[in-house]
């Protein structure tokens, strides 16, 4: 069933979007999709800092669109009461002179329609790589978004203390995000939590094996499973 939002540029619309994203990282599912792009396109500007969850989501989708794009299909979303925001494309003024037309034709011949690197670009890239290696600098590491299930021992486990124990783990490159409790059965609930990791600094396997399932946290945590893992 499609999610519906009403005028996301109004205070009430932003409040509903912010509340919706309190326990979610995306509009639908566990990865960015066309639903996120749809809602994003209706926002005239980034949400104010008052709407913490909506602003977090907006910055994340904005970064994805700039870096890698979004390919997920989504489940469908409806945005009522406002129109999508589109960026105007500047069009150069027309020039009736034959000389200008000839120049334009020459310029078109120089355009690389398939985005292939020229020899000059390749050489420049090689020089930058060599300079970077010589200076001992490392390329900025990528990041990943991880959705994790954290399961308690039984229905008597204090889930508030379990979440506090999980969030007490501190590692360079690890940031915990939104979370929610999900019923499993027989009165037992599991903690579903989002985390963002710097790929070169944090190993999810190491996080689970050496931090989340050892003392003292294993007093509350029985096991952990990765539900979704996406590059940012």
């Amino acid at each position: 069933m499609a999610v519906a939002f009403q005028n996301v540029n109004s205070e009430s619309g932003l409040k509903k979007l912010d509340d919706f994203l309190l326990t979610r990282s995306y509009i639908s599912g566990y990865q960015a999709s066309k639903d996120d792009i749809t809602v994003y396109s209706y926002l005239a500007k980034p949400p104010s800092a008052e709407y913490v969850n909506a602003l977090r989501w907006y910055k994340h989708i904005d970064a994805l669109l700039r870096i890698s794009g979004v390919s997920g299909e989504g489940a469908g979303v409806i945005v009522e009461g406002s129109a999508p925001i589109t960026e105007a494309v500047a069009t150069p003024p027309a020039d009736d002179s034959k000389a200008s037309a000839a120049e334009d034709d020459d310029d078109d011949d120089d355009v690389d329609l398939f985005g292939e690197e020229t020899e000059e670009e390749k050489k420049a890239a090689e020089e930058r790589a060599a300079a970077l290696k010589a200076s001992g600098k490392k390329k900025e590491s990528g990041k990943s978004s991880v959705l994790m299930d954290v399961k308690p021992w039984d229905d008597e486990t204090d889930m508030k203390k379990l979440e506090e124990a999980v969030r007490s783990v501190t590692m360079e490159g690890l940031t915990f995000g939104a979370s929610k409790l999900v019923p499993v059965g027989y009165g037992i609930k599991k903690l579903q939590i989002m985390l963002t990791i710097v790929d070169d600094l944090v190993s999810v396997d190491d996080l689970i094996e050496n931090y989340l399932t050892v003392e003292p946290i294993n007093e509350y945590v029985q096991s952990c499973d990765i539900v979704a893992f996406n590059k940012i």
Side-chain angles (χ1 to χ4, degrees):
M1 183 177 179
V3 180
F5 296 100
Q6 182 73 30
N7 193 357
V8 292
N9 289 302
S10 67
E11 289 187 8
S12 59
L14 275 174
K15 180 65 167 59
K16 180 178 179 180
L17 178 62
D18 189 67
D19 291 343
F20 180 83
L21 292 167
L22 175 63
T23 57
R24 299 174 177 85
S25 294
Y26 303 106
I27 298 300
S28 62
Y30 298 122
Q31 64 176 348
S33 69
K34 293 179 181 179
D35 293 347
D36 295 281
I37 298 177
T38 298
V39 179
Y40 175 92
S41 69
Y42 276 85
L43 287 163
K45 60 182 180 180
S48 66
E50 174 186 356
Y51 305 103
V52 178
N53 306 304
L55 180 59
R56 164 184 52 77
W57 165 85
Y58 183 95
K59 289 181 176 179
H60 180 50
I61 300 303
D62 184 69
L64 286 179
L65 292 175
R66 292 174 185 275
I67 298 172
S68 59
V70 174
S71 59
E73 287 298 322
V77 65
I78 300 171
V79 182
E80 302 172 341
S82 56
I85 308 300
T86 57
E87 294 182 359
V89 178
T91 303
D95 191 336
D96 294 332
S97 70
K98 294 182 180 180
S100 295
E103 289 178 1
D104 289 342
D105 289 340
D106 291 340
D107 289 342
D108 289 342
D109 292 339
D110 294 334
V111 175
D112 185 356
L113 297 177
F114 297 97
E116 296 178 356
E117 281 188 318
T118 63
E119 289 299 323
E120 291 80 3
E121 290 173 334
K122 289 181 180 179
K123 185 176 180 181
E126 291 172 357
E127 290 176 351
R128 287 195 298 271
L132 189 61
K133 184 176 180 181
S135 65
K137 295 180 180 178
K138 294 183 179 179
K139 183 180 178 181
E140 184 179 355
S141 175
K143 293 184 178 181
S144 297
S145 175
V146 183
L147 180 67
M148 179 184 295
D149 277 352
V150 183
K151 299 176 183 177
W153 288 102
D154 51 39
D155 61 338
E156 295 183 357
T157 301
D158 188 325
M159 296 304 293
K160 183 177 181 180
K161 290 184 178 180
L162 180 146
E163 181 172 357
E164 290 175 352
V166 170
R167 290 183 181 274
S168 71
V169 174
T170 56
M171 298 173 64
E172 183 180 2
L174 170 66
T175 305
F176 288 103
S179 65
K180 64 179 179 179
L181 295 179
V182 179
V184 176
Y186 303 101
I188 300 175
K189 294 183 179 180
K190 64 183 177 181
L191 173 70
Q192 200 165 78
I193 188 167
M194 289 294 304
L195 27 142
T196 302
I197 62 171
V198 176
D199 296 332
D200 287 350
L201 298 178
V202 180
S203 162
V204 178
D205 290 338
D206 177 61
L207 173 64
I208 293 174
E209 294 174 8
N210 298 318
Y211 290 86
L212 296 176
T213 55
V214 298
E215 294 183 351
I217 298 179
N218 65 356
E219 178 182 350
Y220 307 103
V221 176
Q222 179 195 50
S223 62
C224 300
D225 295 313
I226 303 302
V227 178
F229 192 110
N230 298 295
K231 295 290 185 181
I232 297 177

